[in-house]
């Protein structure tokens, strides 16, 4: 074990040396590690592909000026996909570089989940930490909050954030949601009005492994994240270690808690559909801008910032949901139901993505390479000169050449696992290859109007040409040679992959059991676990 580790460190060191062209053989490890790049991953929650101004064809909207600038100074990835269409599986796959069928996380963990991402899984922060990185995480974890499953026990030196989604607990001043949830102290009186609101336990804010506030103040969360992020970035230089900063934003997940309207005419957001979401999107963008500024002010040329999303918009939330852009999943919506978050339609997993690293990633570039959030794991390790344990099988690919050399080679095949819309969780129900996408199963999430649609198996699969048909409206005619060739290729690859997973000795199984006592609770004697403060 120790030998394997030191060997991988050595290999990593060599690779890093080759990469930087300039590392002398005789330098001590400390000095080498100083030259390793810093990484900032910013993961937005439930953001739509179309929410990024520069993804819109007309380019008229001005909601994301900081991200637009980052794209102008970096690389916009237009065919980048979250590894799943819902929170926990997407995050697990990003941090392990593996599909949910391997890492065990195929659906969301709950407030009272006993466990989380299986302890047998090796995480990105863990490997970077072992390679000398300082690793910090801000924001939503959602991979298990108890004991060994918490971020500080999975590779992070520091953690500040919420253990799961911001709608999984009451707060004293709730944000905007549909249905609108009541404040913590009032839900008991109106239990029936609380369908769909988690209300037994206050939403906690956790630092390292301690609850520091419960329920937390949603309306100050952005400022807390902003100040923690800028402090971490500014302190990094004093520390003399390269760093990984993983910021998993509460934005754009409901409840939305945007800054108050600036124009007197919009005294309340309630009467202005859309403006709550827009105000929140602008707030998120300005947070991204603050992180970029802190990084530009410190180690600009040595820091890669990678902005992406965990899955598509939560359509069921109507005016509080983001935009899928042209990826409207018409085949599905014409049959009822929503085609974004929780589905394998493009709106569920194609996410706005920008990579920025001045002097390394060419500016003002766009790439349509087929990539996934799972690629972050091998790519960052490669840039850091770290070799992941060879005893494990990975699904992400090293996208270094796409980022640094403007190459356009992405995945030859990319699978989209079922994330709750149809069939068994984690099943590889859709697959992309080139411009084609094949569905073996289709299903919908709840739409804004409440329709849910049917789960349907497709044998032979439905195949869409995404270049001609971004909205996935009309499948190819199964009698054409084009169809037959694609169907044969994807069927073969799907069988190979299923076999590879079935025989993967490193595959994990997650424990999804729940127990009341597993909920994070500041003070069990208080209602909603409220932290009892003296004075
Ligand atoms: C969290 O850990 C950091 C050191 O990494 C420490 O400075 C801070 O005080 C800790 N916070 C809590 C609440 O324990
Ligand atoms: C707000 O949106 C809802 C559904 O999204 C719609 O039913 C309602 O008419 C809209 N209200 C206004 C004022 O536009
Ligand atoms: C960025 O590229 C586009 C075309 O791809 C071009 O129209 C634009 O002027 C460029 N902007 C800058 C700042 O170079």
């Amino acid at each position: 074990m120790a030998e394997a580790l030191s060997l991988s460190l050595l290999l990593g060191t060599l690779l890093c040396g080759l990469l930087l062209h300039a590392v002398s053989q005789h330098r001590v490890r400390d000095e080498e590690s100083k030259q390793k790049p810093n990484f900032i991953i910013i993961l937005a929650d439930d953001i739509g592909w179309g929410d990024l101004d520069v993804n819109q064809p007309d380019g008229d909207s001005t909601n994301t000026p900081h991200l637009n600038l980052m794209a102008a100074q970096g690389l916009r990835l237009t065919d980048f996909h979250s590894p799943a269409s819902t929170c926990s599986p997407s995050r697990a796959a990003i941090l392990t570089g593996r599909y949910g069928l391997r890492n065990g996380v195929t659906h969301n963990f709950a407030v009272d989940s006993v466990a989380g991402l299986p302890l047998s899984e090796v995480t990105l922060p863990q490997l970077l930490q072992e390679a000398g990185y300082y690793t910090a995480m801000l924001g939503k974890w959602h991979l298990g909050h108890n004991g060994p499953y918490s971020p500080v026990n999975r590779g992070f030196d520091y953690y500040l954030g919420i253990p799961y989604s911001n709608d999984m607990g009451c707060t004293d001043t709730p944000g905007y949601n549909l249905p609108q949830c009541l404040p913590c102290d009032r839900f008991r009186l109106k239990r029936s009005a609380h369908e769909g609101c988690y209300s037994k336990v206050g939403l906690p804010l956790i630092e390292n492994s301690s609850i520091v506030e419960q329920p937390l103040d949603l309306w100050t969360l952005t400022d807390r994240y902003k100040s923690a992020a800028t402090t971490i970035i500014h302190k990094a230089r004093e520390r003399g270690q390269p760093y990984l900063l993983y910021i998993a934003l509460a934005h754009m997940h409901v409840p939305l808690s945007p800054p108050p309207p600036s124009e007197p005419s919009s005294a309340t957001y309630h009467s202005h559909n859309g403006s709550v979401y827009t105000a929140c999107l602008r707030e998120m963008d300005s947070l991204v801008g603050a992180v970029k500024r802190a990084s530009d002010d410190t180690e600009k040329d040595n820091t890669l910032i990678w902005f992406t999303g965990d899955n598509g918009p939560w359509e069921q939330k109507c005016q509080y949901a983001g935009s899928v852009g042209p990826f409207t999943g018409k085949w599905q919506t014409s049959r009822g139901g929503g085609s974004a978050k929780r589905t394998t339609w493009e709106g569920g997993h194609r996410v706005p993505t920008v990579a920025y690293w001045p002097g390394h990633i060419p500016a003002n570039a766009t790439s349509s390479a087929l990539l996934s959030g799972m690629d972050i794991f091998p790519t960052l390790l490669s840039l850091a000169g770290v070799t992941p344990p060879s005893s494990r099988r990975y699904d992400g690919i090293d996208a270094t050449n796409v980022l640094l050399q403007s190459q356009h080679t992405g995945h030859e095949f990319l699978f989209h696992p079922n994330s709750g819309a149809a069939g068994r969780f984690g099943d590889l129900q859709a697959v992309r290859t080139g411009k084609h996408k094949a569905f073996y199963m289709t299903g919908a999430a709840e739409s804004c109007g409440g329709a849910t649609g049917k789960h349907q198996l497709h044998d032979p699969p439905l195949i869409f040409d995404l270049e001609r048909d971004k909205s996935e409206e009309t499948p190819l005619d199964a009698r054409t040679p084009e169809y037959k060739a694609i169907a044969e290729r994807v069927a073969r690859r799907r069988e190979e992959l299923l076999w590879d997973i079935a025989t993967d000795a490193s595959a994990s199984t997650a424990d999804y059991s729940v127990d009341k006592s597993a909920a994070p609770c500041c003070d069990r004697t208080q209602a909603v676990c409220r932290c009892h403060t003296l004075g």
Side-chain angles (χ1 to χ4, degrees), residues 421-445:
R424 198 169 58 105
F425 288 120
D427 269 350
L428 304 174
Q429 62 174 225
V431 50
R432 254 302 283 291
T433 184
K435 62 180 183 173
H436 293 105
K437 182 172 174 192
F439 285 85
Y440 291 92
M441 266 179 277
T442 52

Side-chain angles (χ1 to χ4, degrees), residues 190-225:
K190 295 195 176 179
R191 198 173 287 269
S192 61
H194 252 72
E195 218 57 52
C197 295
Y198 283 88
S199 46
K200 292 192 187 72
V201 176
L203 185 66
L205 181 70
I206 297 187
E207 189 175 14
N208 304 335
S209 349
S210 323
I211 299 175
V212 291
E213 200 175 302
Q214 191 173 20
L216 63 77
D217 180 358
L218 273 181
W219 305 82
T220 57
L221 198 55
T222 306
D223 281 342
R224 296 179 96 136
Y225 287 173

Side-chain angles (χ1 to χ4, degrees), residues 349-486:
H349 49 74
R350 194 185 285 237
V351 281
T353 304
V354 176
Y356 165 78
W357 187 6
H360 297 263
I361 293 178
N364 197 24
T366 300
S367 172
S368 58
L370 178 59
L371 295 176
S372 156
M374 289 186 297
D375 305 337
I376 293 174
F377 178 102
T379 306
L380 297 199
L381 290 177
S382 160
L383 291 168
V386 177
T387 312
S390 60
S391 55
R392 314 180 68 76
R393 297 181 188 169
Y394 302 94
D395 300 297
I397 60 171
D398 179 355
T400 304
N401 289 341
V402 177
L403 298 191
L404 306 186
Q405 264 90 48
S406 307
Q407 289 184 9
H408 292 282
T409 332
H411 288 257
E412 192 183 354
F413 295 93
L414 181 65
F415 288 81
H416 302 296
N418 169 38
S419 301
R424 198 169 58 105
F425 288 120
D427 269 350
L428 304 174
Q429 62 174 225
V431 50
R432 254 302 283 291
T433 184
K435 62 180 183 173
H436 293 105
K437 182 172 174 192
F439 285 85
Y440 291 92
M441 266 179 277
T442 52
E446 194 173 323
S447 71
C448 167
T452 51
K454 275 205 205 98
H455 167 203
Q456 224 173 298
L457 293 173
H458 301 279
D459 182 19
L462 292 181
I463 300 181
F464 295 88
D465 174 349
L466 289 184
E467 218 165 82
R468 275 200 317 246
D469 183 14
K470 287 189 170 49
S471 67
E472 297 170 286
E473 184 173 20
T474 314
L476 301 182
D477 182 338
R479 292 162 305 187
T480 59
E482 182 188 7
Y483 178 95
K484 286 181 181 147
I486 300 298

Side-chain angles (χ1 to χ4, degrees), residues 134-382:
Y134 174 76
T135 54
M137 173 177 176
L138 301 173
K140 168 171 152 183
W141 173 241
H142 215 172
L143 292 174
H145 42 272
N146 282 302
Y149 295 95
S150 66
V152 287
N153 290 312
R154 300 313 294 272
F156 288 105
D157 291 311
Y158 177 76
Y159 173 65
L160 175 72
I162 54 179
Y164 31 64
S165 301
N166 54 340
D167 65 341
M168 292 168 70
C170 62
T171 54
D172 287 334
T173 311
Y176 296 92
N177 200 349
L178 266 179
Q180 185 55 43
C181 299
L182 293 171
C184 283
D185 59 354
R186 281 173 47 207
F187 78 85
R188 276 155 200 278
L189 310 173
K190 295 195 176 179
R191 198 173 287 269
S192 61
H194 252 72
E195 218 57 52
C197 295
Y198 283 88
S199 46
K200 292 192 187 72
V201 176
L203 185 66
L205 181 70
I206 297 187
E207 189 175 14
N208 304 335
S209 349
S210 323
I211 299 175
V212 291
E213 200 175 302
Q214 191 173 20
L216 63 77
D217 180 358
L218 273 181
W219 305 82
T220 57
L221 198 55
T222 306
D223 281 342
R224 296 179 96 136
Y225 287 173
K226 194 183 286 183
S227 108
T230 47
T231 305
I232 288 164
I233 294 167
H234 282 288
K235 279 203 174 153
R237 215 185 333 212
E238 294 166 31
R239 227 179 268 113
Q241 278 172 285
Y243 68 87
L244 165 73
L245 173 57
Y246 169 42
I247 310 176
L249 300 173
H251 299 84
M252 305 298 302
H253 198 293
V254 290
L256 304 176
S257 49
S262 49
E263 296 157 37
S265 61
S266 52
T268 85
Y269 286 117
H270 285 293
S271 53
H272 295 259
N273 261 357
S275 62
V276 170
Y277 190 85
T278 304
C280 205
L281 184 58
R282 290 196 178 133
E283 186 189 47
M284 181 206 77
D285 181 72
S286 100
L287 176 52
V288 172
V291 170
K292 178 177 181 287
R293 209 171 319 118
S295 168
D296 285 351
D297 288 348
T298 51
E299 293 180 82
K300 185 171 177 172
D301 299 338
N302 197 35
T303 308
L304 164 62
I305 306 181
W306 200 326
F307 174 91
T308 187
D310 74 330
N311 51 246
W314 198 358
E315 229 178 297
Q316 187 189 342
K317 299 296 177 177
C318 300
Q319 70 269 31
Y320 302 142
S323 155
V324 293
F327 303 104
T328 50
K330 280 191 186 153
W331 187 93
Q332 185 63 59
T333 55
S334 68
R335 286 164 177 79
S339 60
K341 175 175 174 173
R342 296 182 63 228
T343 78
T344 46
W345 299 98
E346 288 296 286
H349 49 74
R350 194 185 285 237
V351 281
T353 304
V354 176
Y356 165 78
W357 187 6
H360 297 263
I361 293 178
N364 197 24
T366 300
S367 172
S368 58
L370 178 59
L371 295 176
S372 156
M374 289 186 297
D375 305 337
I376 293 174
F377 178 102
T379 306
L380 297 199
L381 290 177
S382 160

